[in-house]
Amino acid sequence: MNFLLEGLNEAQKRVALHKEGPLLVLAGAGSGKTKSISHRIAHLVGQGVPPEKILAITFTNKAAEEMKERILRLLKKLPNSEHFDKHPFISTFHTLGVYILRKSGDKIKIPKNFSILDKDDSLETVKTAIKELNIDPKQFQPAKMQSIISREKGDLMDSETYANAAGSDFYPSIIAKIWSKYEEQLKTQKSLDFDDLVSNVVYLLKYDEATRNYYQNFWEYILIDEYQDTNKSQYELSKILSAKHKNICAIGDMDQSIYAFRGADFRNIINFERDFPSLTSIALEENYRSTQNILEAAAKVIEKNKTRKPKSLYTKNVKGAEISLFEAMNELEEAEFAVHKIKELLKKNCLPPEIAVLFRANFQSRVFEEACLKHGIPYQMLGTQFYLRKEIKDIFAYLRAAANKDDTASVKRIINIPPRGIGKVSFLNKLAGKELPAAAQKKFEQFANLLDSINKAILSQKTSAVIAFVLKATGLEEFLEKGDNEDKERLENLKELVSIATRYDHLAPPEGTDKMLTDVVLMSAQDSLDLPAGRQEKKENSVRLMTAHAAKGLEFKNVFIVGLEEGLFPHSGFGDRNKERDEEERRLFYVAVTRAKEKLFLSFSVMRTIYGNKQINMPSRFLSDIPDRLYKMEEFRFQPEDIIKYE
């Protein structure tokens, strides 16, 4: 099986050949960690490990799918591969949670047909809780409450324990009340949020010995990618599942830990060494992505962080072009400079998807979007996800409500879509069990019959036929056909959804529809760059605009990092007053820099309008970390007629 080692460097070979015992892989940016993991899994199977005994966990559906494809290609090359009727289980933490809870959640009283609330649905439920408690949403902002609850759940805190700890302290005690009401609503709706999918599995495995033993025996080898991004609940789940065989492989890079705001703790890598003192540690230090200049710049920036495991990234790539640095008078000139350089790249036959503009905060996108529009440059904003469009979410709400009548959040969303004359007051009275006027009661009965018919379709028809049925049976298709251009565009998106649903038609009802619902709700921000069928042309012809966070895991030939000013990148409040946060901002900049393969453009503005106020800015401290010899200052001044007008 030497072919499984072809194309691997010495460190990658050591990863691939490791079999027994805990393994820590410290994988630098662009060092080929996915390749190493894939070859290790294939090698394990080649050594006689049944494929189904292997569990691999990634953080995005896209990464999971890419890993699956790589591994299956390698497994097909193995002798007797035609006899493999099962494959390694490769998924995200949340998908793994759904799998376990669907099979075994009844042990802790979780219904098998539970609905999954995405972030938006969860927020609406928090809003409802705040409203029912007569709490001021301005003082206790729903989004902030949602974030606190999510963070606490990720730390394996439950609402009751939180309430006890809060005691009579005003602010925490109010949060506790909101959280408790939120949990009541989830229970009533037979719903779980994203955080529940992992924390409940941890509770299940700790609570029920038989279930714990089953899954510990089921998977003998466990591999976890991006280990630095795990939170406490994910960390605990990893420990529990690997406790028997201890064949756990953690792959990560402390220098790329950028998700502390959502509970990730890069110290889990340090704890990994404590939990498994007999581990083998392997560093992947050869970078295959970037030029020497870009890699050296990144190294000089990140070495300023004190809390890290030192490593020496190197590359055999060419020295490459100097980094370009531009000082703009304001954000308008900065955008014009970027677009000017993008146009030059396109004239040199660079493809649009090979170009990315990265910024620290979402509000920065506007000026670049307008500059692209002005100059006729096609662009794609990461974050405008197809599956988050209102009309798409409406269809999925119909499916969830039909399958789970207790999912009041979904019912509330579509009770009057399209308009069917059911008022808000009537809906609330219905929920409260109050008697309704005959006319209103009839409308509710008709709506209930509609949901019944959709549920019958789910149980008996292929997924694409179910979606088509919902469009017609609800009257939504007819309603949108009669509307304006925006409505017709919505209808086109819904018809596209029917096409997408054919991907699940090979699964028997209701499994196909259930899997589609699960896949979509688990889709992460990184996955939003993957457009559905029929939208590939737009994807292929677009420059990418995105936050530095969203760029994690991606790479581009040409990268623009804009807005490099104190207070913006590093973000305001992330300075010397908080060393830990300052280091995370530095890691985020490191991630942004290492997305570039061939050419890196850095820029900052002397003056910037932020939330309506003009501010004079100092260049980011990160720029002073890059040696002068690695960059050149760019000269560019746009003419008055080029100025983009803003209100």
Side-chain angles (χ1 to χ4, degrees):
M1 294 194 300
N2 287 337
F3 71 90
L4 290 176
L5 303 179
E6 291 176 2
L8 303 182
N9 62 35
E10 289 305 310
Q12 291 172 333
K13 287 178 182 177
R14 287 180 63 201
V15 173
L17 292 171
H18 183 87
K19 187 175 182 182
E20 301 296 329
L23 173 65
L24 176 62
V25 181
L26 300 171
S31 61
K33 63 181 177 65
T34 304
K35 184 177 183 179
S36 304
I37 297 168
S38 302
H39 281 255
R40 180 169 182 239
I41 291 173
H43 196 269
L44 285 171
V45 176
Q47 293 292 312
V49 177
E52 66 273 16
K53 291 293 184 179
I54 301 171
L55 168 66
I57 303 173
T58 68
F59 269 81
T60 72
N61 292 300
K62 180 185 176 185
E65 289 302 318
E66 287 179 351
M67 189 179 292
K68 281 179 189 175
E69 290 176 7
R70 280 182 185 245
I71 291 168
L72 291 178
R73 284 199 299 270
L74 290 170
L75 293 183
K76 286 179 181 177
K77 297 179 181 179
L78 293 174
N80 302 318
S81 61
E82 66 274 10
H83 299 301
F84 295 153
D85 56 350
K86 296 181 180 178
H87 299 111
F89 192 104
I90 303 169
S91 76
T92 65
F93 272 107
H94 296 109
T95 302
L96 173 65
V98 173
Y99 173 80
I100 293 175
L101 292 175
R102 293 283 192 212
K103 288 184 64 136
S104 310
D106 57 331
K107 301 285 182 60
I108 53 173
K109 299 181 179 179
I110 293 176
K112 290 188 181 297
N113 66 332
F114 64 83
S115 296
I116 306 170
L117 298 189
D118 63 16
K119 190 173 181 179
D120 288 346
D121 292 331
S122 172
L123 180 59
E124 286 301 314
T125 307
V126 171
K127 288 179 180 177
T128 302
I130 292 171
K131 187 176 181 179
E132 289 185 4
L133 292 167
N134 293 315
I135 293 170
D136 184 2
K138 292 181 180 178
Q139 187 176 4
F140 294 87
Q141 298 174 355
K144 189 175 182 179
M145 297 300 102
Q146 181 193 40
S147 179
I148 291 171
I149 292 170
S150 175
R151 183 72 176 258
E152 293 294 337
K153 284 188 176 184
D155 284 340
L156 294 176
M157 178 67 70
D158 61 82
S159 60
E160 187 176 344
T161 306
Y162 184 89
N164 290 335
S168 58
D169 288 352
F170 176 71
Y171 196 76
S173 66
I174 299 299
I175 295 173
K177 289 179 181 179
I178 295 170
W179 188 355
S180 180
K181 177 62 71 173
Y182 173 75
E183 291 298 327
E184 285 178 20
Q185 292 172 336
L186 291 186
K187 190 174 182 179
T188 302
Q189 299 173 22
K190 296 180 182 176
S191 298
L192 302 178
D193 60 25
F194 265 33
D195 301 292
D196 292 328
L197 298 177
V198 180
S199 61
N200 275 322
V201 173
V202 173
Y203 176 71
L204 167 66
L205 297 180
K206 287 184 175 181
Y207 172 81
D208 190 83
E209 184 180 3
T211 305
R212 182 173 65 252
N213 289 336
Y214 173 80
Y215 288 105
Q216 287 178 343
N217 286 312
F218 190 82
W219 290 302
E220 295 179 5
Y221 293 85
I222 299 172
L223 302 92
I224 303 168
D225 195 10
E226 306 289 3
Y227 200 74
Q228 77 281 349
D229 292 334
T230 54
N231 61 19
K232 186 176 180 179
S233 63
Q234 293 161 342
Y235 170 71
E236 287 295 326
L237 178 57
S238 307
K239 281 205 311 179
I240 294 170
L241 289 176
S242 60
K244 181 176 181 180
H245 298 284
K246 293 185 171 52
N247 292 322
I248 181 172
C249 172
I251 308 99
D253 181 10
M254 293 176 67
D255 292 338
Q256 296 187 73
S257 178
I258 59 174
Y259 295 120
F261 65 91
R262 66 187 190 196
D265 190 347
F266 66 88
R267 285 177 290 256
N268 287 342
I269 288 181
I270 300 171
N271 293 335
F272 188 86
E273 294 180 309
R274 180 199 65 195
D275 296 333
F276 301 97
S278 62
L279 63 78
T280 300
S281 183
I282 302 172
L284 301 182
E285 297 180 315
E286 183 175 356
N287 177 284
Y288 293 91
R289 178 185 298 152
S290 305
T291 64
Q292 292 179 22
N293 278 344
I294 293 170
L295 198 61
E296 186 178 352
K300 292 296 184 183
V301 169
I302 200 62
E303 69 182 20
K304 295 293 181 69
N305 275 4
K306 304 301 181 185
T307 312
R308 62 187 293 264
K309 285 184 159 301
K311 57 180 178 298
S312 302
L313 277 183
Y314 68 94
T315 183
K316 296 176 183 177
N317 293 337
V318 298
K319 184 177 181 180
E322 290 177 295
I323 296 166
S324 291
L325 178 60
F326 179 62
E327 177 184 352
M329 291 301 297
N330 53 42
E331 68 266 29
L332 308 182
E333 188 171 75
E334 184 180 38
E336 284 286 335
F337 167 76
V339 167
H340 172 74
K341 289 296 182 181
I342 289 171
K343 289 167 76 173
E344 286 185 354
L345 291 169
L346 296 176
K347 285 178 182 178
K348 295 176 182 178
N349 295 319
C350 176
L351 297 175
E354 295 173 338
I355 304 170
V357 180
L358 311 184
F359 34 81
R360 179 60 181 83
N362 276 305
F363 78 84
Q364 294 173 259
S365 72
R366 183 175 72 103
V367 66
F368 293 96
E369 288 189 76
E370 294 190 11
C372 286
L373 287 169
K374 177 188 173 195
H375 291 276
I377 294 175
Y379 71 91
Q380 181 191 1
M381 260 297 297
L382 186 69
T384 310
Q385 299 182 50
F386 176 83
Y387 295 108
L388 292 184
R389 293 176 180 271
K390 178 185 179 302
E391 61 274 19
I392 304 298
K393 287 176 69 74
D394 288 343
I395 295 301
F396 290 134
Y398 267 111
L399 297 175
R400 290 197 301 268
N404 177 8
K405 299 284 195 312
D406 295 310
D407 187 348
T408 54
S410 293
V411 172
K412 183 180 179 182
R413 181 182 182 93
I414 44 86
I415 189 75
N416 222 25
I417 296 176
R420 51 177 59 91
I422 298 178
K424 185 178 180 180
V425 175
S426 295
F427 178 69
L428 292 174
N429 287 338
K430 181 70 173 178
L431 287 180
K434 296 181 181 179
E435 188 173 342
L436 300 176
Q441 181 63 32
K442 185 176 180 181
K443 288 174 182 176
F444 274 105
E445 289 173 358
Q446 290 172 340
F447 181 72
N449 291 335
L450 171 63
L451 294 184
D452 284 339
S453 66
I454 294 173
N455 190 46
K456 287 178 182 176
I458 293 171
L459 295 173
S460 62
Q461 297 184 35
K462 292 181 178 180
T463 309
S464 61
V466 173
I467 304 296
F469 177 82
V470 174
L471 292 183
K472 288 192 179 293
T474 60
L476 195 55
E477 184 174 16
E478 182 180 358
F479 175 76
L480 293 174
E481 280 178 343
K482 295 177 180 177
D484 56 18
N485 289 335
E486 187 176 346
D487 284 333
K488 289 180 171 61
E489 185 177 338
R490 293 181 187 276
L491 183 57
E492 287 179 0
N493 290 330
L494 290 173
K495 289 179 176 178
E496 188 169 284
L497 184 64
V498 177
S499 300
I500 298 165
T502 59
R503 302 174 187 174
Y504 300 87
D505 281 353
H506 67 285
L507 298 171
E511 187 182 352
T513 303
D514 290 344
K515 185 150 191 336
M516 185 178 190
L517 280 170
T518 299
D519 286 352
V520 170
V521 79
L522 294 178
M523 195 162 290
S524 67
Q526 280 99 330
D527 298 316
S528 64
L529 206 59
D530 296 321
L531 292 175
R535 301 173 70 88
Q536 295 300 323
E537 185 178 349
K538 293 181 183 179
K539 175 185 174 182
E540 295 302 323
N541 291 315
S542 299
V543 171
R544 312 295 207 265
L545 308 180
M546 67 188 76
T547 64
H549 280 100
K552 177 80 182 299
L554 305 175
E555 60 181 38
F556 307 90
K557 282 186 178 181
N558 306 280
V559 171
F560 294 77
I561 307 176
V562 302
L564 288 168
E565 303 133 31
E566 287 294 310
L568 186 54
F569 203 170
H571 200 272
S572 178
F574 291 72
D576 292 334
R577 292 167 294 175
N578 190 322
K579 294 287 187 181
E580 190 171 303
R581 289 183 175 179
D582 182 48
E583 290 204 352
E584 173 142 342
E585 286 291 294
R586 189 174 294 277
R587 291 195 295 270
L588 181 59
F589 181 63
Y590 172 81
V591 167
V593 169
T594 55
R595 299 312 92 193
K597 297 165 68 175
E598 297 179 3
K599 179 67 179 178
L600 180 63
F601 300 85
L602 307 176
S603 62
F604 64 95
S605 296
V606 175
M607 183 180 293
R608 181 177 299 275
T609 303
I610 299 179
Y611 304 122
N613 299 314
K614 294 187 182 299
Q615 297 181 6
I616 304 296
N617 308 297
M618 294 291 292
S620 171
R621 70 191 71 175
F622 302 148
L623 294 174
S624 63
D625 297 333
I626 301 174
D628 294 351
R629 58 185 168 78
L630 295 180
Y631 66 83
K632 65 175 182 178
M633 296 298 300
E634 293 278 358
E635 294 292 331
F636 174 81
R637 290 292 177 264
F638 68 124
Q639 300 301 312
E641 60 267 21
D642 292 326
I643 296 177
I644 307 168
K645 300 295 182 182
Y646 291 87
E647 297 294 324

